[in-house]
Amino acid sequence: MRLCRSVVVINGFLWAVSIVCQTPYEAQSFPKPVTPPQQRLSAERLADLEKQMWRLVNQDRLNPATFAETGGQARPLRWNDQLAAVARAHSRKMVEQEYFSHIDPDGKSPLARINAAGIPWRAYGENIALHESVEAAQAAFMSEPRFQKNHRGNILNPIYTEVGIGIAKGPDGSFYITQDFITIPASTQASGKRLKK
């Protein structure tokens, strides 16, 4: 920055005025953010995307076109906050440690992560995806072969009762997505030990 002198006329008198000026170079020399603003998403926005995918999962489970696979027995999955926290932590870890796998660099499997969170289960499954949107990820899951033990099979499996979905955004703008599915033991439901929804 530098001082610029200017001359103005007030009521017929000449006055010298000093003001602070910036050269064009100085005006552009402020540090730029490391991550472009469009690459950042708030926790609230990511939570909205997680719930959006939850709705897509339940739409696919209730779609008459999938009844041959589900026998019409698939019910909407309940949202499980604890399971979502597990899924979210896994997605974030994949971004932070730059890997894409069900098994994390510490050797923890989906089962180990669910057990470590103290979540009761009778059956469990996990889907992971790396896509530009939740819609694209869900469409990719559902485009897999029918009647197979795959991502589509996890989504449509009528045995599952609850789901937690966690999404994190990578530095290139891609979404790392984890879907964790469980069946809550009948004893847990009967005792009223329901997990927070």
Side-chain angles (χ1 to χ4, degrees):
M1 290 187 182
R2 58 191 172 85
L3 285 177
C4 298
R5 293 200 178 273
S6 182
V7 177
V8 296
V9 178
I10 302 176
N11 294 332
F13 294 94
L14 292 175
W15 296 84
V17 180
S18 295
I19 58 174
V20 176
C21 298
Q22 283 185 319
T23 65
Y25 175 77
E26 290 171 328
Q28 296 175 13
S29 65
F30 296 105
K32 295 179 181 178
V34 175
T35 305
Q38 64 269 22
Q39 295 295 330
R40 297 182 187 150
L41 285 182
S42 67
E44 293 78 13
R45 176 62 181 135
L46 288 171
D48 288 343
L49 291 174
E50 292 165 357
K51 294 298 177 68
Q52 178 185 349
M53 179 163 260
W54 174 40
R55 289 189 292 272
L56 292 173
V57 165
N58 281 334
Q59 285 173 15
D60 287 328
R61 287 174 66 87
L62 298 177
N63 188 338
T66 65
F67 280 10
E69 295 163 85
T70 66
Q73 299 301 307
R75 299 290 176 255
L77 296 173
R78 293 182 295 269
W79 182 263
N80 184 308
D81 282 337
Q82 285 183 274
L83 200 57
V86 171
R88 196 173 298 121
H90 182 59
S91 291
R92 288 176 180 165
K93 193 169 187 177
M94 287 194 288
V95 171
E96 292 164 3
Q97 299 192 17
E98 300 178 345
Y99 73 97
F100 181 71
S101 173
H102 293 285
I103 309 298
D104 69 24
D106 300 323
K108 290 185 179 176
S109 66
L111 176 57
R113 293 189 291 271
I114 292 170
N115 284 341
I119 301 172
W121 59 274
R122 186 164 53 89
Y124 76 95
E126 180 174 88
N127 289 345
I128 59 173
L130 178 54
H131 267 281
E132 70 275 9
S133 70
V134 296
E135 296 90 345
Q138 188 68 14
F141 287 153
M142 294 304 293
S143 68
E144 293 179 348
R146 301 169 65 192
F147 304 102
Q148 302 293 320
K149 292 182 178 179
N150 54 21
H151 301 99
R152 179 186 176 103
N154 276 342
I155 290 167
L156 299 180
N157 194 332
I159 196 172
Y160 294 135
T161 56
E162 307 205 353
V163 68
I165 297 170
I167 299 176
K169 193 168 187 180
D172 65 349
S174 297
F175 291 105
Y176 287 71
I177 300 168
T178 304
Q179 298 176 336
D180 282 330
F181 306 89
I182 59 170
T183 305
I184 290 292
S187 58
T188 302
Q189 295 183 25
S191 67
K193 295 179 182 176
R194 299 292 300 129
L195 300 174
K196 184 180 176 185
K197 297 296 172 286

